């Protein structure tokens, strides 16, 4: 569980964009001089997890919570939504244009998982800077 503050965003089509901006600002503030590649990795993870939360974990009027705990060695990202249903990576097909988000997170992150919360869940990912 992250000790970073949880930032809440109204769940809509713009949520991932706002969460990416927040993640970038949080990492840059915590780790001055961080590489663009590392920032891009955090933003991609945030984007994929927030998009899943928006599409599958919320209803109109719900909020998505995002926490970014960045340190000199790496970062932990958490995305909270009110649904109890746990996400699962989908089987990938050649023509599939959706369903790749958790596969992307699994490739970039060193570890990822899901924690149940009293009112939903948190999907988290940890990565070390390279």
């Amino acid at each position: 569980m992250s000790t970073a503050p949880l930032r809440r965003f109204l769940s809509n089509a713009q949520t991932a964009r706002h969460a990416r901006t927040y993640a970038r600002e949080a990492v840059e503030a915590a780790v001055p001089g961080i590489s663009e590649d590392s920032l891009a990795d955090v933003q991609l993870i945030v984007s994929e997890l927030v998009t899943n939360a928006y599409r599958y974990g919320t209803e109109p009027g719900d909020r998505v919570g995002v926490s970014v705990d960045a340190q000199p060695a790496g970062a932990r990202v958490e995305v909270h939504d009110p649904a109890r249903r746990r996400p699962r990576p989908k089987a990938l097909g050649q023509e599939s244009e959706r369903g790749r988000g958790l596969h992307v997170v699994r490739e970039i992150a060193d570890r990822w998982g899901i924690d149940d919360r009293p009112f939903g869940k948190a999907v988290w990912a940890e990565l070390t800077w390279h």
Side-chain angles (χ1 to χ4, degrees):
M1 184 168 171
S2 176
T3 57
L6 191 65
R7 177 88 176 263
R8 297 195 180 275
F9 299 91
L10 185 62
S11 184
N12 59 42
Q14 306 305 314
T15 306
R17 180 172 55 88
H18 295 303
R20 280 191 308 272
T21 300
Y22 163 68
R24 181 181 185 93
E25 291 170 355
V27 172
E28 286 178 325
V31 187
I34 187 78
S35 75
E36 282 298 320
D37 287 344
S38 294
L39 282 170
D41 286 347
V42 169
Q43 288 182 289
L44 183 54
I45 288 172
V46 166
S47 184
E48 295 298 340
L49 295 181
V50 168
T51 298
N52 279 355
Y54 162 64
R55 286 186 178 157
Y56 309 113
T58 63
E59 295 185 14
D62 285 343
R63 293 189 176 271
V64 172
V66 179
S67 166
V68 179
D69 186 5
Q71 305 292 326
R76 179 181 172 102
V77 171
E78 290 184 9
V79 175
H80 298 235
D81 69 55
R84 300 292 285 175
R85 184 176 60 248
R86 290 172 155 250
R88 295 184 321 250
K90 295 181 180 180
L92 294 177
Q94 293 290 347
E95 288 85 42
S96 177
E97 293 183 20
R98 292 176 64 173
R100 299 179 188 277
L102 290 178
H103 294 283
V104 169
V105 171
R106 188 169 46 193
E107 286 298 314
I108 295 172
D110 295 300
R111 295 180 347 128
W112 76 277
I114 306 158
D115 293 332
D116 293 323
R117 298 283 186 243
F119 299 102
K121 67 179 171 302
V123 182
W124 55 268
E126 296 175 345
L127 64 154
T128 54
W129 310 130
H130 300 285

